[in-house]
Structure formats: structure tokens, C-alpha cells
Amino acid sequence: MDVAANVLALVGAVFVLLAGVGVLRFPDVYARMHAATKAPTLGIALIGLGTAGALDSGRAPVLLAVAFTFVTAPCAAHLVGRAAHRAEGVEVEVEAGDDLTALVDGADPQV
């Protein structure tokens, strides 16, 4: 079991390392966002599984941390992608209307 745990941890560390290289080497924010979320999530999962396999007790906190990573990494990637998209000056169409912009411009908001 110790050999399998060590192999999982080593493979996970390689994934995290390659993700770091990808963040430095990729040309645009979307590719970097992909590198910063996909590979480290898999790497952390493998490291967590290796750690849980090596522990005799107390596996629940490790698996909970892995699950938390699987929930938060896509949310963080979505927010980074959304911020990058908005920073490029591309307007996002809102179907319900933007009442705040209408108030700032002095026009009546859509009702």
C-alpha cells in the first residue's frame, strides 16, 4: 500500500509541476486558466488519494479537502474567464436589461 501511495503522490506532484510550467508558458489568459485549474485539480486528487492510502486513520479530512478542490477550482476558473472576457471590452448582452446603467446615464430604467 505504501508503494501505491508514493506512486500516486509522485504522479500528482508531476501534474502540479506541469501545470505550473503551463501557467508560465501558455500565451493567453484562457490557456493559462485551463492550465491553472485542470491539471492541478487532478494532481491534488492524486496526492490526496496517495495520502489517504498512506494514513491508517483520519482519511476523511484529506478526502474532504480533495472534494473541496473539485468544487472550488471550476468556480475560480469561471470567475477568471469571466473577468478576462469583460476586460477585453466585449459587452455581454443581458436579457433583463441593465437598470443601473440607465440610472447613471439619466434615462428611465426599463420596467
Side-chain angles (χ1 to χ4, degrees), residues 1 11 17 40 43 45 63 77:
M1 190 64 168
V11 171
L17 176 69
L63 297 177

Side-chain angles (χ1 to χ4, degrees), residues 3-42:
V3 173
N6 289 336
V7 168
L8 284 172
L10 184 62
V11 171
V14 169
F15 270 102
V16 173
L17 176 69
L18 290 175
V21 171
V23 168
L24 294 175
R25 301 277 306 188
F26 285 152
D28 63 340
V29 69
Y30 299 110
R32 288 179 180 176
M33 175 183 63
H34 181 77
T37 55
K38 304 298 182 208
T41 302
L42 178 61

Side-chain angles (χ1 to χ4, degrees), residues 39-69:
T41 302
L42 178 61
I44 289 172
L46 292 174
I47 292 170
L49 289 175
T51 303
L55 292 175
D56 293 330
S57 63
R59 294 178 179 160
V62 174
L63 297 177
L64 185 62
V66 170
F68 184 73
T69 303

